[in-house]
Amino acid sequence: MSTVPKPRATVPRRKTASATLSVTSDASTKVKARPSDKLNPKTIDPGLRETKHPYTFVSKEGFKELLLAEGARDKTIPLLPKLIPALKAALAHTEADVFDRGLTALVQVSAVVGPFLNDHLKQLLTSLSKRLMDKKFKDQVTSALQKLEQYGGKETLGLIKSKIPIYCSICS
């Protein structure tokens, strides 16, 4: 009777120490990136919707600092398609503090990118329209819409009016 060898289970191999060492030694010779060098939507999304202190403070201040960094406009414009869902989620959140942070972040982004936000604005205006009907947020949302119009130019007014017909322009 002959025995047939059993197939061996394959185990993924780990990186050897020499491979890891070569990667880290190459990385140490390069200039280390600062946090402001990258705007990371994966960090921003849960950060804007954070509800516990001190994370709320860190997300709010961190977002502001990233947008104030040198070259923020050029770095933010390509990231707009990834930032919009995060802003939309914050603006649609049920908690007032999260909505407030989302609204503040939207105005900050608009100030940095200007009319480049217009292509994405319709996605956000629905949430703003709903909050505009709430007396608690009416002044805050109106002020934000005026700033969006100011930073976005003439085209922004048409976009706002298409979703929020009761909006009164700051230019008229």
Side-chain angles (χ1 to χ4, degrees):
M1 187 166 176
S2 67
T3 58
V4 178
K6 293 181 182 177
R8 293 168 60 186
T10 58
V11 178
R13 294 183 176 211
R14 289 193 253 168
K15 292 182 181 177
T16 61
S18 62
T20 307
L21 183 60
S22 67
V23 170
T24 56
S25 65
D26 291 341
S28 64
T29 59
K30 295 180 181 177
V31 177
K32 292 186 178 183
R34 296 183 311 244
S36 63
D37 288 343
K38 292 184 179 180
L39 289 173
N40 188 348
K42 291 180 181 177
T43 310
I44 293 170
D45 182 23
L48 288 176
R49 293 183 288 150
E50 190 62 58
T51 58
K52 294 181 183 175
H53 183 73
Y55 306 112
T56 55
F57 173 78
V58 171
S59 70
K60 186 175 165 181
E61 292 301 310
F63 192 80
K64 182 173 77 174
E65 291 294 322
L66 286 172
L67 292 175
L68 292 175
E70 185 178 329
R73 181 177 188 191
D74 295 333
K75 294 174 187 176
T76 305
I77 291 170
L79 290 176
L80 281 175
K82 294 179 181 179
L83 285 173
I84 297 304
L87 290 170
K88 186 176 180 177
L91 291 171
H93 204 276
T94 56
E95 290 196 28
D97 291 342
V98 175
F99 171 75
D100 183 43
R101 275 195 309 279
L103 192 61
T104 303
L106 174 61
V107 171
Q108 290 170 343
V109 167
S110 178
V112 170
V113 300
F116 289 98
L117 185 62
N118 289 345
D119 294 338
H120 310 280
L121 201 54
K122 280 191 175 184
Q123 299 175 38
L124 305 170
L125 290 173
T126 306
S127 297
L128 294 180
S129 175
K130 290 177 183 177
R131 295 291 177 130
L132 190 61
M133 300 305 155
D134 188 345
K135 288 181 182 180
K136 181 178 177 183
F137 299 109
K138 185 175 182 172
D139 292 337
Q140 194 176 5
V141 172
T142 302
S143 175
L145 289 171
Q146 290 171 345
K147 289 178 183 173
L148 291 173
E149 180 186 356
Q150 177 185 354
Y151 299 135
K154 293 180 181 180
E155 184 183 328
T156 307
L157 177 61
L159 294 169
I160 293 172
K161 284 284 203 178
S162 71
K163 292 286 186 175
I164 308 171
I166 61 171
Y167 172 71
C168 294
S169 172
I170 56 172
C171 297
S172 58

